[in-house]
Amino acid sequence: MFNKLHLYLRVLVRNSSLDRILGRFLSKSDVEEMNEFMQDLSVKHIIPYMEQKIRSLNQQVLATRRGLKNQIKNLWWRKGKDDTSDVSNGPLYTFSSIESQIRVLGDYAFMLRDYELALSNYRLLSSDYKIDKAWKRYAGVQEMIGFSLFMLDQSRKEAEYSMETAFTTYQRTGVSGQRYATRCALWWAEMLKARGQYKDAANVYNRISSEEPSLRAGVLLEQTAYCYLRAKPTMLRKFGFYLVLAGNRYNICGQRKHAIRAYISVLSVFEGNGWKYIGDHVHFNLGRWYAVLGKSDLAIEHFMRLLACSHQPAVAQEAFLRDFLQIFQSLDKRDKMLKLDLPIINMPSLRVRFEDHRTYASSEAVLLPEKIWQSLEEGLVPSMPSAMTNWLESATKSSAKSWKGKDRNVCIAGEMVGVEIEFKNPLEIPLNISAVSLICNFRPEIMENRVGIFHV
């Protein structure tokens, strides 16, 4: 059996030279035999050994530590150790010491899901470590007490107190205990999320996201943000704030793609809520990061959202415009039309002036009734053909009747047409505008009189 397992393990090893997939040459029967072997090993050997070990260790603990006599004896034996040095590890415990055996008993009971037995041993051990000032071991036992209470679903307040004690004790041990403190906080947050306490879990994540510009801090800040998003009621403002902080940490650590992902996720939160300054911050950084990654088109899109920033000071406006122009110069297709909001065009001020001093406003013309347009069209296309006796009568009577004494909205080819429109600069910095041109499209429409129409 063991030789067969050894053969299977050799097959599972990846061959780097051939780049083979793990388990590629295992058949279905091979996998079933391995599953049967592991199940047999667990049920017939590992679990019975752990149960027998729990019984023997429990008898040993009962004989030495439990009961009133043993408790008084242990207290007397430890008396006088309160004035020992306050070190992180405390005294050295060998594997054969009673404290180590109690810890093994508690861990075995926890793994076999006997949480009541595990909890009683962890509590018995906690007081010993506290008296001996073995702070790392004391924090570890407090952490396991919190786990046991969580699995038993008893005394949530006590479970949170144990996790809080373990976390603060790890932090007291200095740099060596920071990793354990992070592990404790992660488990603590998972316990809170399992109970639906997302707001409390966000506070835990926030406590371990230090001010150092580390990638770990960015991940924890992002988890903090999503906890606020899942809280009831949803805290969108804090979600956006912490997600921006996470993106900033990612950028500091050189992870620009993760920073972009975080900032894009927060755009929908700030759009339309009146938070202009933080929205400008998001668009400005997205534009810069896309430019660094060589995606100038996406960078231009975000910088275009910053140009009409009248609420920003002149220094910020100048910086936005300078970066926009610099990125625009790097585009391959600079002749592409950009719908900029700079300068602002006042459309109601639009006026079209013909050479005969007639003026029409497009914004007002849209609201005119259809009858007026029909009367103007009659000057070009007569509604009913009139009988003409000769060519002189058609040039006088018929045309006079069709015009009805009104001016026609028609200009002759070559006639000058003027357009007046108002431009407004929303920025505090001067803008130089030149080479302004009116874009028109001529679309010939086949009609009886061969009339062409301009669309502006």
Side-chain angles (χ1 to χ4, degrees):
M1 181 69 73
F2 285 99
N3 292 333
K4 185 183 293 185
L5 176 62
H6 180 67
L7 177 62
Y8 287 158
L9 292 177
R10 291 184 61 186
V11 175
L12 283 171
V13 175
R14 178 184 291 274
N15 190 335
S16 59
S17 61
L18 299 178
D19 195 19
R20 294 174 179 174
I21 303 174
L22 293 177
R24 181 178 179 181
F25 298 105
L26 289 177
S27 63
K28 185 176 180 181
S29 60
D30 293 336
V31 176
E32 291 177 355
E33 289 183 9
M34 292 181 65
N35 290 334
E36 292 177 1
F37 170 76
M38 294 305 299
Q39 185 176 2
D40 182 76
L41 180 65
S42 301
V43 174
K44 294 183 180 180
H45 298 281
I46 297 178
I47 294 178
Y49 171 78
M50 293 176 66
E51 291 175 345
Q52 187 272 334
K53 192 70 174 178
I54 286 175
R55 287 192 293 268
S56 62
L57 289 174
N58 197 25
Q59 292 295 328
Q60 183 180 354
V61 172
L62 285 173
T64 57
R65 297 299 303 275
R66 297 199 175 152
L68 180 61
K69 179 180 178 181
N70 291 328
Q71 289 181 6
I72 295 175
K73 180 181 178 181
N74 179 67
L75 180 63
W76 180 263
W77 176 73
R78 294 181 181 276
K79 189 176 181 180
K81 290 189 176 183
D82 293 341
D83 54 351
T84 57
S85 59
D86 187 5
V87 295
S88 60
N89 293 326
L92 179 63
Y93 298 99
T94 61
F95 180 76
S96 60
S97 63
I98 187 60
E99 292 84 4
S100 299
Q101 295 302 308
I102 295 175
R103 179 60 194 261
V104 171
L105 174 60
D107 292 342
Y108 276 167
F110 188 88
M111 285 187 285
L112 293 181
R113 301 184 181 181
D114 190 353
Y115 302 116
E116 291 284 357
L117 179 60
L119 181 61
S120 63
N121 284 279
Y122 290 140
R123 283 174 172 171
L124 180 64
L125 193 58
S126 175
S127 59
D128 295 345
Y129 286 150
K130 187 175 182 179
I131 293 174
D132 294 341
K133 297 184 179 181
W135 298 119
K136 280 188 179 179
R137 290 180 171 83
Y138 172 72
V141 170
Q142 287 292 327
E143 192 176 357
M144 295 306 299
I145 290 175
F147 289 156
S148 301
L149 291 171
F150 172 74
M151 300 303 296
L152 291 170
D153 198 14
Q154 296 178 358
S155 184
R156 294 187 176 184
K157 186 176 182 180
E158 185 180 357
E160 293 182 12
Y161 175 77
S162 297
M163 300 303 290
E164 172 73 27
T165 303
F167 178 73
T168 54
T169 305
Y170 278 134
Q171 286 187 323
R172 285 172 50 191
T173 58
V175 180
S176 60
Q178 292 301 319
R179 181 177 299 180
Y180 299 110
T182 302
R183 181 199 64 188
C184 176
L186 291 175
W187 281 114
W188 186 10
E190 291 298 324
M191 291 165 53
L192 294 171
K193 288 194 293 185
R195 294 171 176 168
Q197 299 174 257
Y198 290 101
K199 184 177 179 180
D200 296 331
N203 294 331
V204 174
Y205 281 128
N206 192 25
R207 290 177 63 179
I208 54 178
S209 58
S210 61
E211 295 297 331
E212 299 177 0
S214 60
L215 189 60
R216 175 180 69 94
V219 174
L220 295 174
L221 286 170
E222 187 174 2
Q223 290 298 315
T224 304
Y226 282 104
C227 284
Y228 282 124
L229 181 64
R230 300 187 65 182
K232 295 183 179 180
T234 302
M235 308 174 74
L236 285 177
R237 189 171 182 177
K238 286 193 173 182
F239 163 72
F241 175 75
Y242 280 97
L243 203 56
V244 167
L245 292 180
N248 186 41
R249 296 291 175 88
Y250 287 142
N251 177 56
I252 294 175
C253 297
Q255 300 292 329
R256 288 192 178 88
K257 291 184 178 180
H258 287 292
I260 290 173
R261 175 182 55 81
Y263 271 48
I264 288 178
S265 301
V266 84
L267 277 177
S268 59
V269 178
F270 298 130
E271 291 291 338
N273 288 327
W275 301 331
K276 297 181 179 179
Y277 289 95
I278 193 168
D280 291 344
H281 169 80
V282 172
H283 285 295
F284 178 68
N285 283 281
L286 283 174
R288 290 196 308 168
W289 297 337
Y290 275 127
V292 172
L293 295 177
K295 300 180 180 180
S296 300
D297 293 338
L298 296 175
I300 286 293
E301 291 181 7
H302 288 284
F303 270 105
M304 286 171 59
R305 306 291 296 272
L306 299 172
L307 295 182
C309 52
S310 57
H311 54 279
Q312 290 283 0
V315 178
Q317 294 174 4
E318 187 176 359
F320 293 161
L321 187 59
R322 182 178 61 252
D323 290 345
F324 168 76
L325 294 176
Q326 182 179 359
I327 296 174
F328 182 76
Q329 293 294 329
S330 63
L331 287 176
D332 295 334
K333 299 179 180 179
R334 283 180 288 177
D335 56 343
K336 184 175 64 174
M337 293 297 300
L338 297 178
K339 296 182 179 180
L340 301 178
D341 294 331
L342 192 70
I344 296 176
I345 300 175
N346 186 13
M347 293 304 297
S349 67
L350 178 63
R351 296 291 186 272
V352 180
R353 298 187 182 276
F354 293 89
E355 200 172 52
D356 55 358
H357 306 292
R358 288 175 292 123
T359 304
Y360 295 91
S362 61
S363 60
E364 298 174 0
V366 176
L367 303 177
L368 291 177
E370 186 65 23
K371 293 181 179 180
I372 298 179
W373 291 110
Q374 291 178 358
S375 63
L376 294 173
E377 291 173 357
E378 288 179 359
L380 295 175
V381 182
S383 59
M384 294 182 63
S386 58
M388 297 179 292
T389 58
N390 53 46
W391 62 275
L392 293 174
E393 184 180 358
S394 64
T396 57
K397 296 182 179 180
S398 61
S399 59
K401 291 180 180 179
S402 63
W403 292 351
K404 296 181 181 180
K406 296 182 180 180
D407 294 334
R408 296 174 297 169
N409 190 10
V410 179
C411 63
I412 309 302
E415 182 180 347
M416 183 178 296
V417 178
V419 178
E420 294 181 0
I421 193 167
E422 179 183 344
F423 293 91
K424 181 181 178 181
N425 182 13
L427 305 180
E428 298 182 7
I429 58 176
L431 296 177
N432 297 323
I433 301 176
S434 60
V436 178
S437 60
L438 183 65
I439 301 177
C440 300
N441 294 325
F442 178 74
R443 187 180 67 194
E445 295 184 358
I446 306 298
M447 301 174 64
E448 293 181 359
N449 54 359
R450 306 289 182 179
V451 176
I453 301 176
F454 279 105
H455 295 272
V456 179

